[in-house]
Amino acid sequence: MQGVDKDTAEEFFGRLVSSAQILSDASRDYARDGEPVSSVACALGADVATLGSVVWERLNIAPRSPQRQFFEAASAVMASLGGLGSGPGGTVTAADVLTATRARLAASFDASLADDVATRWPGIEHLGGMPAPTQDDVDADVLRRLEGLRPGAFVEARRAAALSAMRVAQDSRIRGEIPEAIQAAYESDYLSLEAYLVESATAAGDAALFTVTTRWVLATHSLSALTGLPPGFPEAVACIRDALVDGLGDADGTRLRSTLVPA
């Protein structure tokens, strides 16, 4: 994307840097709460966003698809999980897995780029005292997230629930119960978000659903940044949706918007 205007370039760079910080913070929160799979997923997402920002800054071209970079990194993590256990140095930690993945990512860089990225990758000391999640842990996390359903059934159930919630919103709106209508519309959009994230992750081959975690973090962080909503129903719904879309970025956000139940 050479020749992009300065404002757009700065905005793109700023989004990557911001995403890296948000995901790094989330990784620490998940580690503190004893959720190693989500913590590793967010740490991995932070690394990929950081890598993208360095490539953009140095070359002023769009890096390869961030999604592709993420899946390459996730594949490295999943390959590492297959052989986890207690090694010569004791229990393998989540930090060990991220360190090994960083080495794989950096292997194709020239020395200058590798050094630059290494100085900017977020700290992962919070992963040092946590045993690395095993494949069984990942499988259990997927089962929990999907509530025991197959991905397709989960998506279908969430979309049906989103439709029902929007009907409740419209009924409340007709009765003049605007705050209740806005809340129901929010619930509908949240259900649609869950469905979209699982559907798109599955379509892309993300069986571990790591990107469900990272994109959920980014979308809900954007939503939480709202300081208030307009009093009118259409305006409030539009504000909520704009925040969700902005959190996911242009391409992902546009696809999400197309799946939301009409308000």
Side-chain angles (χ1 to χ4, degrees):
M1 200 158 65
Q2 288 177 323
V4 69
D5 66 80
K6 182 175 182 238
D7 289 341
T8 302
E10 290 179 351
E11 184 177 313
F12 181 77
F13 174 76
R15 178 182 289 278
L16 288 170
V17 172
S18 175
S19 294
Q21 186 61 60
I22 291 166
L23 291 170
S24 180
D25 290 344
S27 177
R28 294 174 185 277
D29 291 341
Y30 280 125
R32 184 194 61 225
D33 295 339
E35 299 184 44
V37 176
S38 293
S39 183
V40 167
C42 287
L44 181 62
D47 279 2
V48 170
T50 300
L51 172 58
S53 71
V54 174
V55 171
W56 174 260
E57 184 181 44
R58 286 168 61 95
L59 305 179
N60 196 29
I61 61 172
R64 291 177 306 152
S65 165
Q67 284 288 84
R68 181 179 174 186
Q69 288 180 337
F70 188 98
F71 288 126
E72 288 177 351
S75 294
V77 168
M78 297 305 292
S80 298
L81 295 180
L84 288 182
S86 295
T91 301
V92 176
T93 69
D96 294 330
V97 173
L98 262 294
T99 299
T101 301
R102 287 177 172 183
R104 294 190 190 193
L105 286 173
S108 60
F109 303 163
D110 62 51
S112 175
L113 178 58
D115 289 344
D116 197 359
V117 172
T119 63
R120 302 203 210 183
W121 264 326
I124 53 174
E125 63 279 355
H126 60 288
L127 301 177
M130 184 170 63
T134 64
Q135 183 62 59
D136 286 345
D137 292 330
V138 174
D139 292 343
D141 189 73
V142 169
L143 191 65
R144 174 193 59 78
R145 184 178 294 280
L146 298 181
E147 299 178 353
L149 299 173
R150 301 289 295 174
F154 176 87
V155 171
E156 184 178 340
R158 281 298 192 268
R159 290 205 166 127
L163 181 59
S164 295
M166 190 57 74
R167 286 172 178 161
V168 171
Q170 294 294 0
D171 290 343
S172 296
R173 183 185 184 189
I174 290 171
R175 292 194 298 268
E177 300 168 351
I178 303 305
E180 292 80 1
I182 293 172
Q183 178 61 36
Y186 166 79
E187 291 171 3
S188 174
D189 286 355
Y190 190 89
L191 291 162
S192 291
L193 172 66
E194 289 185 303
Y196 169 74
L197 294 181
V198 169
E199 182 179 57
S200 58
T202 302
D206 178 17
L209 303 185
F210 282 177
T211 58
V212 174
T213 298
T214 56
R215 291 182 296 164
W216 182 87
V217 165
L218 294 174
T220 55
H221 183 275
S222 178
L223 192 60
S224 69
L226 293 176
T227 56
L229 293 173
F233 178 80
E235 295 81 8
V237 172
C239 188
I240 291 169
R241 293 183 169 185
D242 287 346
L244 289 175
V245 166
D246 185 62
L248 292 182
D250 291 340
D252 234 1
T254 298
R255 288 190 291 269
L256 168 66
R257 193 185 289 277
S258 71
T259 71
L260 300 176
V261 179

